[in-house]
């Protein structure tokens, strides 16, 4: 589980409440029901109005993913593909049908089943590319929904402030009440900016990032499995897939591989000599 969103939001609210304490601001003056009702209610209402009801419901269902979304390391994908390449090299492509039953990932199961069935490589690529796009679409839609809420919230907050200021202007004859009234009027703007930047935009950004990471994972898996179908040599396939991973994500790849088999480069060289023989 990647907890970056939880840490980030807690840090943001912690900094806010730290400032409130340092400035000796009364929390009761910030948690006013009326402006909070307007900001939350109108923002969500505008968001729902900007999309379909089905997509809005699906977007809210995707919120837990922003906090608990699993990020699969690229090396894990590479290790799986190399293992499948070794199986196909030893037992043939039909053996991949049994391997498909061992995996829970629907994308991998579909790809392995099609390889075992003898699907043409070009047709399989088109099928998997369409599958990748379809799988990413719901999360991207949810991301766009929350990014939209982040755009609506500040404006809704300003609307709330304008409405409250009309009440202030109606009480200009009571100078002793103007201070508290003006302060409460700006609470709506505060909550509009706060919810946009502390909630909606981070959630939308995280969902967009998760969609991109999942697309990258499936693309890496697709390229690897198509290479397995084409009969690529396992070790060279592993090196090719590593080259597709950004450097920051594969800085410790060599160390992991060395620790995994306890032999490192010497074993790789021995394997190459054996293959050449």
């Amino acid at each position: 589980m990647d907890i970056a969103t939880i840490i980030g939001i807690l840090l943001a609210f912690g900094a806010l409440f730290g400032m409130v304490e340092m400035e000796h601001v009364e929390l009761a003056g910030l948690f006013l029901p009326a402006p909070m009702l307007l900001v939350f209610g109108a923002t969500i209402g505008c968001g729902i109005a900007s999309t379909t009801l089905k997509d809005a419901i699906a977007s809210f269902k995707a919120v837990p993913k922003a906090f608990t979304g699993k990020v699969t390391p690229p090396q894990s994908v590479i290790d799986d593909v190399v293992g499948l390449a070794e199986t196909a090299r030893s037992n043939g492509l039909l053996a991949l049908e049994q391997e498909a039953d061992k995996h829970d990932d629907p994308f991998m199961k579909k790809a392995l089943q099609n390889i075992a069935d003898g699907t043409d490589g070009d047709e399989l690529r088109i099928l998997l590319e369409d599958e990748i796009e379809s799988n990413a679409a719901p999360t991207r839609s949810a991301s766009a929904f929350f990014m939209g809420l982040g755009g609506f919230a500040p404006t809704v907050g300003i609307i709330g402030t304008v409405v409250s200021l009309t009440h202030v202007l109606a009480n200009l004859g009571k100078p002793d009440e103007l201070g508290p009234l003006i302060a409460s009027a700006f609470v709506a703007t505060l909550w509009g900016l706060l919810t946009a930047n502390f909630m909606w935009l981070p959630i939308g950004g995280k969902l967009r990032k998760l969609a991109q990471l999942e697309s990258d994972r499936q693309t890496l898996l697709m390229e690897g499995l198509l290479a397995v179908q084409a009969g690529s040599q396992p070790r060279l396939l592993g090196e090719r897939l590593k080259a597709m991973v950004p450097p920051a994500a594969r800085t410790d790849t060599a160390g992991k591989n060395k620790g995994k088999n306890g032999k490192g480069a010497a074993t790789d060289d021995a394997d190459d000599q054996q293959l050449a023989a």
Side-chain angles (χ1 to χ4, degrees):
M1 184 179 76
D2 184 80
I3 59 174
T5 302
I6 297 175
I7 294 174
I9 291 180
L10 289 178
L11 181 61
F13 276 101
L16 172 65
F17 287 116
M19 176 187 175
V20 168
E21 288 296 323
M22 295 175 68
E23 294 289 339
H24 303 292
V25 178
E26 293 185 4
L27 285 176
L30 301 180
F31 290 91
L32 300 179
M36 292 178 67
L37 174 65
L38 173 68
V39 170
F40 279 96
T43 298
I44 294 174
C46 291
I48 293 174
S50 67
T51 186
T52 64
L53 183 60
K54 180 180 180 181
D55 285 343
I57 294 173
S59 297
F60 283 111
K61 289 182 178 179
V63 170
K65 183 187 295 186
F67 295 93
T68 62
K70 181 180 179 182
V71 178
T72 303
Q75 185 59 41
S76 176
V77 177
I78 294 173
D79 291 341
D80 288 342
V81 172
V82 170
L84 292 170
E86 293 172 348
T87 299
R89 194 176 183 85
S90 301
N91 305 318
L93 293 178
L94 287 177
L96 297 180
E97 185 172 8
Q98 296 179 349
E99 293 294 325
D101 298 331
K102 301 178 182 179
H103 294 276
D104 297 328
D105 182 5
F107 181 81
M108 179 178 281
K109 290 174 71 73
K110 177 177 289 188
L112 292 176
Q113 187 62 55
N114 277 276
I115 292 175
D117 291 342
T119 304
D120 178 73
D122 292 336
E123 293 181 358
L124 182 57
R125 176 179 291 276
I126 295 174
L127 173 64
L128 295 180
E129 286 177 346
D130 290 343
E131 187 76 14
I132 292 172
E133 186 63 28
S134 298
N135 291 340
T139 306
R140 287 176 181 167
S141 176
S143 170
F145 177 80
F146 287 106
M147 298 296 281
L149 294 187
F152 289 126
T155 305
V156 171
I158 293 174
I159 293 173
T161 296
V162 172
V163 171
S164 296
L165 287 177
T166 60
H167 179 58
V168 172
L169 295 175
N171 289 273
L172 290 178
K174 303 175 182 178
D176 56 328
E177 298 181 5
L178 289 181
L181 288 175
I182 293 174
S184 63
F186 283 99
V187 171
T189 298
L190 169 65
W191 278 101
L193 294 171
L194 188 149
T195 54
N197 294 282
F198 285 20
M199 295 174 57
W200 309 132
L201 293 178
I203 291 174
K206 182 59 173 292
L207 290 174
R208 180 175 58 191
K209 181 63 176 179
L210 289 175
Q212 182 60 49
L213 289 174
E214 180 62 11
S215 293
D216 291 344
R217 183 191 73 84
Q218 292 182 349
T219 299
L220 185 66
L221 187 57
M222 176 189 71
E223 295 295 340
L225 293 178
L226 288 174
V228 170
Q229 184 186 39
S232 294
Q233 191 270 333
R235 181 177 178 276
L236 294 179
L237 174 58
E239 294 299 324
R240 175 191 169 192
L241 294 179
K242 290 172 192 173
M244 296 176 60
V245 177
R250 53 182 163 96
T251 52
D252 58 346
T253 295
K256 286 183 178 179
N257 287 343
K258 184 176 180 180
K260 184 176 180 180
N261 56 31
K263 300 177 183 178
T267 300
D268 293 335
D269 293 339
D271 290 342
D272 290 343
Q273 294 176 5
Q274 184 177 2
L275 287 172

